Amino acid sequence: MEDFEENIHDAAHPVKDRKDLVLLLLGCAFCLFLFAQISNLGQAGANMKWQANNLDSQILGLTESEARFSELIKQRETVVQQSQQVQSQYTNLLADLLELAKTDADANAVVQKYNIQRQESAPAATETAP
């Protein structure tokens, strides 16, 4: 009878060992999962830092570009004013030439040669600066 009791006692230990092994494997898997999550968070933090630095450099570049463009607009305003003055001078010159062509033969010849005509006055196009 003693042999029978030893067999029962030996059979109970492998089940307990299996449960311990399963718990050990589950614990190791959970630790591995937590390690992967922590390293993933570290990588995500590094990516966010890189994106923030990249965004800062883009904002700086855009600010510098805006300053350059505003300076270019100021420089171009003088050119636009000069071109408007030249255009008004040419308009006045051609208007005087057309008036002179009524009485002067040479002026009339120039008007006919280059087919200079007075157009109907069109509404002036005005642009508004943003």
Side-chain angles (χ1 to χ4, degrees), residues 6 16 20-21 26 29 32 40-41 54 70 80 85 88 123 128:
E6 286 180 18
K16 185 175 191 260
D20 289 342
L21 181 63
L26 283 175
L32 185 64
N40 187 22
L41 285 174
N54 192 18
S70 65
V80 168
Q85 289 174 353
S88 66
T128 57

Side-chain angles (χ1 to χ4, degrees), residues 24-38:
L24 178 67
L25 289 176
L26 283 175
C28 288
F30 185 69
C31 288
L32 185 64
F33 173 75
L34 288 178
F35 176 75
Q37 291 297 317
I38 290 170

Side-chain angles (χ1 to χ4, degrees), residues 20-95:
D20 289 342
L21 181 63
V22 168
L23 287 176
L24 178 67
L25 289 176
L26 283 175
C28 288
F30 185 69
C31 288
L32 185 64
F33 173 75
L34 288 178
F35 176 75
Q37 291 297 317
I38 290 170
S39 69
N40 187 22
L41 285 174
Q43 183 65 35
N47 285 340
M48 292 294 284
K49 187 175 184 179
W50 176 81
Q51 287 177 349
N53 290 337
N54 192 18
L55 182 62
D56 289 341
S57 66
Q58 286 179 350
I59 288 172
L60 180 65
L62 286 174
T63 305
E64 291 172 356
S65 295
E66 183 181 16
R68 280 194 311 252
F69 287 138
S70 65
E71 183 64 31
L72 285 174
I73 288 172
K74 289 177 184 176
Q75 291 175 357
R76 297 294 194 266
E77 285 176 355
T78 59
V79 174
V80 168
Q81 289 174 354
Q82 289 175 353
S83 67
Q84 287 174 345
Q85 289 174 353
V86 168
Q87 182 180 4
S88 66
Q89 288 173 352
Y90 278 131
T91 302
N92 292 337
L93 177 71
L94 291 176

Side-chain angles (χ1 to χ4, degrees), residues 81-129:
Q81 289 174 354
Q82 289 175 353
S83 67
Q84 287 174 345
Q85 289 174 353
V86 168
Q87 182 180 4
S88 66
Q89 288 173 352
Y90 278 131
T91 302
N92 292 337
L93 177 71
L94 291 176
D96 291 344
L97 181 65
L98 286 172
E99 284 296 318
L100 187 61
K102 293 178 183 176
T103 59
D104 187 22
D106 291 334
N108 191 18
V110 170
V111 169
Q112 288 179 357
K113 180 177 180 181
Y114 292 106
N115 195 20
I116 299 172
Q117 303 174 21
R118 185 173 299 193
Q119 292 184 348
E120 299 291 327
S121 59
T126 58
E127 294 185 25
T128 57

